[in-house]
Amino acid sequence: MAQEHKQPRKGSEVEETTEATAETDAAERKDALDNEVDDLLDEIDDVLESNAEEFVKSFIQKGGQ
Amino acid sequence: MSVRRVMGTEVEYGISVTGNPKANPMVASSQVVNAYASATLKARRARWDFEEESPLRDARGFDMSRATADPSQLTDEDLGLANVILTNGARLYVDHAHPEYSTPEVTTPLDIVRWDKAGEQVMLDAQRRAALLPGGAPIVLYKNNTDGKGSSYGAHENYLMRRKTPFADIVKHLIPFFVSRQVVCGAGRVGIGQDGREAGFQISQRSDFFEVEVGLETTLKRPIINTRDEPHADPDVYRRLHVIIGDANMAEISTYLKVGTTSLVLAMIEDRFLTRDLTVEGSVQALRAVSHDPTLKHEVTLRDGRRLTAVQLQLEYLDLAKKYVEDRMGADADPQTVDVLARWESVLDRLERDPMSLSGELDWVAKWRLLEQYRQRDGLGWEDAKLQLIDYQYSDIRPEKGLYHKLVKAGRIERLLDDASVERAMHEPPTDTRAYFRGQCLERYPSSVAAASWDSVILDLAGRESLQRIPTLDPLRGTQRHVGALLDRCRTAEELFAELTH
């Protein structure tokens, strides 16, 4: 009897711990991702054509097929 | 029965001359093509042979008269614009006011990706070489389809189909597929409406430019189904389906799925496997409405009264395609067909749950995500010029400037091929179509090839006054298996011609 009770309880404990770890992981991952996004955008800032308005205005194409 | 068939793509690139927005784009396009031709072609420059072209032939069975055609439809007259054939079997030329690259004929979706990407590298090489010419201007090319001010230029796909398939079946089953496939292969666009007058983001570059369901035109009143019928092959056996509705893709998975899924749907049409009527009410309006809703919630109405999202409509085709492949090939299905089906299913499944999760695979999502990140960081509204700039610059083909390239470099976008394989395809033809014969003739006998086209190679031979035309009407002959040994033992074009005609 005691044995039978123990098994599921142990299982749920393990689950709780895993969930808690998963949450921390997710938060850490999100921070890491945010930093990565910032880095990526910084890198893209460096190559973006400098005067967006002027560039957009002068990007004129003839129609094709 | 599979994703395999003879096919190819043709892409018109956007062109701008840095610091000179008024520069003549025809001149700049010619400079690009000529710079590449001069630097890479070994001897004489083989010209394009227009003899077999018939751009006014309509798939519905009649010819448009030349007098009533718009001048832009007369593509078969040699206007003296730059037009060359490359050793990889491709065609590099000026079409209207854009440099254009047509891939050689290939037989698989992955080979489309390979030779389409090789075309980007050819264009990159060409623009760099053009800048080095005396008086050469810095020219930048964009693999996109609109300037956001009312002009559009194409990225076409070509599929060889059986002539006996009724054209009405193609029209009926392909329109709903084309209305919906943009959720997989759209390239993303900032601006709504042909001239972008409304601020916002939409899925496709091209959707706002389509005005009718079926027609012969490609430059005005663009049709969802184009009826141009120049098979460049035996017209009694084949038709060439000229698809003009697609976007130019940077992402390899977008191109792969665009061509792979379309080829499968065409196989089902040819085998009369599609019995479900998926006709969409008001398809032209539906096409635009789907494009205008990147959240993918818009529902189109089917003739049978059902309302489906574009993803659900694609799932209908996927379901049929899975049954078709299982029914016709079972466990014998080739690996690429199996792979296309699996990726298509995975992509649609994730698009249903969380479109943003596809930012590492599909162009429109990659672009959308980047734009949303900028909007969030800088608090930008959709009318901000910076977002429009990001849209253009995503398709800048220079690795040091192009944002697609930056995302790939940062590991944000998956690829299917490596650089070495793409670079080889800049020079080497596919081995399993007639492009092999064409490309190898140019590689081996450059000074003897006077002209070539999809269905001929024309030789100028010592000791003969007239040019000798070798027809290559069957796209699946002239492969490495057919002519590899022959080419290996012929040191000259004269020897080759003698062997072919003895």
Side-chain angles (χ1 to χ4, degrees):
Chain A
M1 258 331 245
Q3 280 292 73
E4 277 169 23
H5 267 292
K6 223 175 166 182
Q7 279 306 89
R9 256 198 26 227
K10 197 176 172 192
S12 64
E13 271 169 21
V14 172
E15 252 168 51
E16 274 163 32
T17 333
T18 326
E19 250 169 52
T21 324
E23 261 169 44
T24 329
D25 278 358
E28 276 171 16
R29 267 204 307 274
K30 193 178 174 303
D31 283 349
L33 273 178
D34 286 349
N35 288 337
E36 254 182 69
V37 168
D38 289 344
D39 290 350
L40 177 69
L41 296 196
D42 287 347
E43 210 179 299
I44 288 179
D45 284 339
D46 290 343
V47 301
L48 273 185
E49 303 290 347
S50 50
N51 188 338
E53 216 146 300
E54 194 54 43
F55 186 90
V56 169
K57 212 185 301 168
S58 64
F59 188 84
I60 299 168
Q61 300 291 312
K62 283 252 194 296
Q65 295 222 37
Chain B
M1 285 192 291
S2 72
V3 294
R4 298 178 61 91
R5 74 173 57 240
V6 175
M7 49 197 177
T9 62
E10 19 170 336
V11 179
E12 297 175 358
Y13 285 71
I15 182 164
S16 71
V17 180
T18 306
N20 185 5
K22 294 211 162 64
N24 181 330
M26 282 197 194
V27 173
S29 299
S30 295
Q31 284 170 345
V32 167
V33 172
N34 283 326
Y36 190 81
S38 308
T40 56
L41 299 183
K42 284 180 185 162
R44 71 190 288 167
R45 191 187 291 187
R47 63 176 183 82
W48 188 257
D49 173 28
F50 281 101
E51 194 168 310
E52 296 290 326
E53 302 242 329
S54 41
L56 303 181
R57 177 77 34 84
D58 194 295
R60 291 166 294 187
F62 52 85
D63 284 6
M64 188 187 235
S65 94
R66 296 190 76 88
T68 60
D70 186 86
S72 65
Q73 286 177 275
L74 303 175
T75 58
D76 58 342
E77 281 179 23
D78 194 341
L79 300 169
L81 292 173
N83 198 336
V84 292
I85 309 128
L86 310 180
T87 55
N88 69 355
R91 178 185 182 193
L92 177 66
Y93 57 118
V94 179
D95 197 1
H96 303 281
H98 301 272
E100 176 160 348
Y101 169 93
S102 298
T103 66
E105 305 89 327
V106 301
T107 64
T108 69
L110 193 60
D111 276 350
I112 287 276
V113 178
R114 196 183 324 271
W115 272 276
D116 184 87
K117 278 285 166 192
E120 278 174 40
Q121 293 306 305
V122 165
M123 287 292 185
L124 177 64
D125 212 4
Q127 81 177 43
R128 284 176 175 161
R129 288 178 192 280
L132 297 176
L133 294 176
I139 293 170
V140 185
L141 301 179
Y142 296 83
K143 197 185 186 193
N144 64 1
N145 303 101
T146 179
D147 61 0
K149 301 177 182 70
S151 290
S152 184
Y153 31 100
H156 301 173
E157 303 140 59
N158 297 291
Y159 302 91
L160 203 65
M161 293 188 72
R162 291 179 213 152
R163 170 66 64 189
K164 63 175 201 249
T165 302
F167 199 71
D169 287 1
I170 299 175
V171 171
K172 177 180 172 186
H173 297 297
L174 218 43
I175 289 178
F177 180 71
F178 283 167
V179 165
S180 54
R181 77 168 187 171
Q182 53 186 323
V183 301
V184 175
C185 55
R189 177 183 167 198
V190 172
I192 313 287
Q194 294 192 357
D195 58 4
R197 65 181 58 186
E198 200 185 314
F201 177 80
Q202 62 172 315
I203 292 170
S204 161
Q205 291 261 307
R206 288 278 272 178
S207 289
D208 283 346
F209 294 91
F210 283 75
E211 297 173 39
V212 297
E213 283 198 327
V214 184
L216 183 57
E217 283 83 8
T218 54
T219 53
L220 37 123
K221 282 192 295 173
R222 291 187 184 88
I224 294 175
I225 304 289
N226 182 244
T227 54
R228 182 186 293 184
D229 188 2
E230 298 170 87
H232 301 309
D234 182 348
D236 291 335
V237 183
Y238 298 115
R239 75 166 79 249
R240 171 177 62 126
L241 185 72
H242 186 232
V243 174
I244 68 168
I245 200 172
D247 287 359
N249 289 113
M250 299 295 290
E252 295 178 0
I253 292 174
S254 294
T255 302
Y256 179 72
L257 284 177
K258 171 171 68 183
V259 173
T261 60
T262 302
S263 183
L264 258 178
V265 170
L266 295 179
M268 291 195 284
I269 295 171
E270 287 176 321
D271 281 351
R272 304 200 164 211
F273 190 81
L274 296 179
T275 46
R276 252 179 244 179
D277 184 3
L278 296 171
T279 302
V280 172
E281 296 286 355
S283 59
V284 173
Q285 289 312 312
L287 175 76
R288 295 180 189 188
V290 166
S291 182
H292 295 175
D293 178 22
T295 67
L296 305 181
K297 293 197 170 60
H298 178 80
E299 290 177 340
V300 300
T301 305
L302 268 49
R303 182 176 286 167
D304 66 11
R306 282 192 295 162
R307 294 180 61 78
L308 299 181
T309 66
V311 176
Q312 286 164 345
L313 190 46
Q314 282 283 297
L315 283 165
E316 295 270 333
Y317 281 96
L318 169 71
D319 176 51
L320 289 162
K322 281 165 67 181
K323 287 185 176 133
Y324 169 70
V325 171
E326 176 58 34
D327 180 64
R328 301 299 155 101
M329 294 193 291
D332 296 331
D334 62 286
Q336 248 184 77
T337 300
V338 173
D339 185 56
V340 165
L341 281 175
R343 281 183 190 271
W344 192 12
E345 181 163 27
S346 158
V347 162
L348 293 179
D349 176 52
R350 284 175 292 146
L351 282 175
E352 277 228 295
R353 289 184 283 121
D354 175 17
M356 223 31 132
S357 66
L358 275 301
S359 65
E361 287 150 89
L362 306 181
D363 273 323
W364 75 267
V365 191
K367 193 185 274 181
W368 190 29
R369 181 182 197 130
L370 182 61
L371 290 161
E372 289 292 1
Q373 286 167 341
Y374 263 91
R375 275 161 52 75
Q376 201 178 349
R377 191 194 70 176
D378 299 350
L380 306 176
W382 279 112
E383 70 293 338
D384 197 288
K386 195 166 187 178
L387 299 180
Q388 184 74 67
L389 170 65
I390 289 170
D391 181 0
Y392 297 146
Q393 212 174 323
Y394 179 86
S395 65
D396 183 331
I397 64 171
R398 295 172 296 177
E400 68 277 14
K401 290 291 264 186
L403 304 188
Y404 163 80
H405 288 286
K406 288 288 167 198
L407 292 172
V408 168
K409 210 169 147 213
R412 299 302 179 100
I413 296 186
E414 273 179 52
R415 294 188 59 185
L416 298 171
L417 300 168
D418 57 30
D419 288 342
S421 156
V422 172
E423 179 146 354
R424 272 198 306 280
M426 289 172 70
H427 309 289
E428 294 174 14
T431 57
D432 57 355
T433 66
R434 64 187 171 195
Y436 181 78
F437 180 74
R438 182 188 315 125
Q440 286 285 300
C441 280
L442 282 158
E443 174 68 31
R444 291 168 189 255
Y445 323 113
S447 56
S448 304
V449 181
S453 68
W454 303 121
D455 42 28
S456 68
V457 172
I458 294 175
L459 300 175
D460 185 357
L461 302 172
R464 284 173 192 270
E465 256 180 46
S466 57
L467 298 175
Q468 304 297 321
R469 188 166 196 273
I470 302 174
T472 55
L473 203 59
D474 185 342
L476 292 173
R477 291 183 64 84
T479 63
Q480 185 174 39
R481 203 162 57 82
H482 284 135
V483 299
L486 170 73
L487 292 166
D488 280 343
R489 65 176 180 267
C490 295
R491 284 168 302 112
T492 65
E494 285 76 14
E495 284 178 29
L496 174 71
F497 189 73
E499 280 228 30
L500 283 171
T501 50
H502 74 245

